[in-house]
Amino acid sequence: MHPLNIPPEIAARVEARCGRAHPFEDLDPRRTAFVVIDLQVGFMDPAISHAYCPMAERIVPAVNRLATAVRETGGGVFWIQNTHDASCDETWTVMQRMATPAARARRVAAMSEGSPGHALWPALDVRAEDEKVLKRRFSAFIQGSSDLAARLRARGFDTVLIGGTVTNVCCESSARDAMMLDFRTVMVADCNAANSDAEHNASLAAFWNIFGDVMTTDHVIERLRAGAAGQRAA
């Protein structure tokens, strides 16, 4: 996994503004959802990938461990699948024009529903009680991408933990939009994967600086369990 290397002045700025370095570490596990972005074969198998991220496979154990903790403490797990369909060609033409015809063809082949690349990575611990969500933009929360926000609100979730790939594109885009739709949002550092340590840490630093929180898997699990213990004692 990527080493976490965020400049200390970022935490200092957050603490000065929020009164503490981790504004969302008081987690209510029953109102917390783990949103896992794009851990699909099409990003993780170099033989068929259109945008291979070597680090993505290495975060799978942490993702599975956090998903287990979220379920055990009363939260929900949502697996997000990047998806290409006809609407992308009609309503997101800028994206198509930014790629060569060959690159577009690789993306369509890897990300079309029902293709091998569209499937979730087989080592992920996906359970029957989890939800799967198709998204058609980098962000899972932006209008026209998916119904994720409505699903979260329908189940009473107001806090989202973000993991997946890649940190600085679909994960950060989703996290920023989640915050601006009024979800308490945490990017889980070692549950995110990018194409370089520098990109990963720059993304987390920018997000933590203004938009939300950044914590490790161990930190989040400790706070979930503390929240669950407090609820049992109440």
Side-chain angles (χ1 to χ4, degrees):
M1 292 178 285
H2 299 286
L4 186 58
N5 185 20
I6 297 177
E9 58 265 30
I10 298 296
R13 288 177 197 160
V14 175
E15 187 165 4
R17 185 178 72 250
C18 301
R20 55 182 176 174
H22 293 287
F24 299 141
E25 69 176 353
D26 292 334
L27 295 175
D28 180 344
R30 295 173 299 188
R31 297 179 65 82
T32 299
F34 185 22
V35 175
V36 186
I37 307 286
D38 296 357
L39 287 184
Q40 296 162 260
V41 175
F43 292 106
M44 300 170 71
D45 182 345
I48 64 173
S49 176
H50 74 293
Y52 176 53
C53 179
M55 186 63 72
E57 188 173 0
R58 295 176 62 183
I59 67 170
V60 168
V63 168
N64 286 342
R65 190 160 64 90
L66 183 53
T68 297
V70 168
R71 294 187 201 99
E72 288 177 346
T73 54
V77 180
F78 292 75
W79 304 97
I80 313 304
Q81 291 174 271
N82 191 64
T83 304
H84 178 90
D85 61 20
S87 71
C88 299
D89 291 325
E90 297 164 1
T91 62
W92 201 18
T93 59
V94 169
M95 165 67 171
Q96 315 311 323
R97 292 172 187 154
M98 290 174 66
T100 67
R104 289 198 300 270
R106 287 196 301 272
R107 185 176 189 276
V108 170
M111 293 289 103
S112 294
E113 192 173 2
S115 71
H118 188 261
L120 293 170
W121 188 248
L124 292 168
D125 182 18
V126 181
R127 305 286 181 89
E129 65 265 34
D130 300 343
E131 295 195 39
K132 297 178 182 177
V133 181
L134 305 183
K135 76 172 176 67
R136 296 166 180 84
R137 299 290 188 275
F138 292 153
S139 168
F141 286 88
I142 197 170
Q143 183 179 0
S145 180
S146 81
D147 60 351
L148 176 60
R151 291 202 205 186
L152 291 166
R153 290 195 169 107
R155 292 179 57 182
F157 296 125
D158 65 6
T159 302
V160 292
L161 312 171
I162 300 289
T165 197
V166 293
T167 313
N168 52 310
V169 184
C170 294
C171 297
E172 184 181 353
S173 297
S174 297
R176 289 185 180 219
D177 286 344
M179 177 269 191
M180 286 185 279
L181 289 176
D182 208 29
F183 291 95
R184 292 158 34 105
T185 309
V186 179
M187 292 189 76
V188 185
D190 48 340
C191 284
N192 280 269
N195 286 307
S196 71
D197 294 344
E199 291 168 284
H200 175 79
N201 282 297
S203 178
L204 295 181
F207 182 78
W208 193 10
N209 186 42
I210 293 293
F211 293 92
D213 210 338
V214 173
M215 292 189 271
T216 64
T217 299
D218 286 342
H219 191 171
V220 172
I221 291 175
E222 186 273 327
R223 299 311 302 162
L224 287 171
R225 290 175 176 164
Q231 289 163 357
R232 289 193 298 269

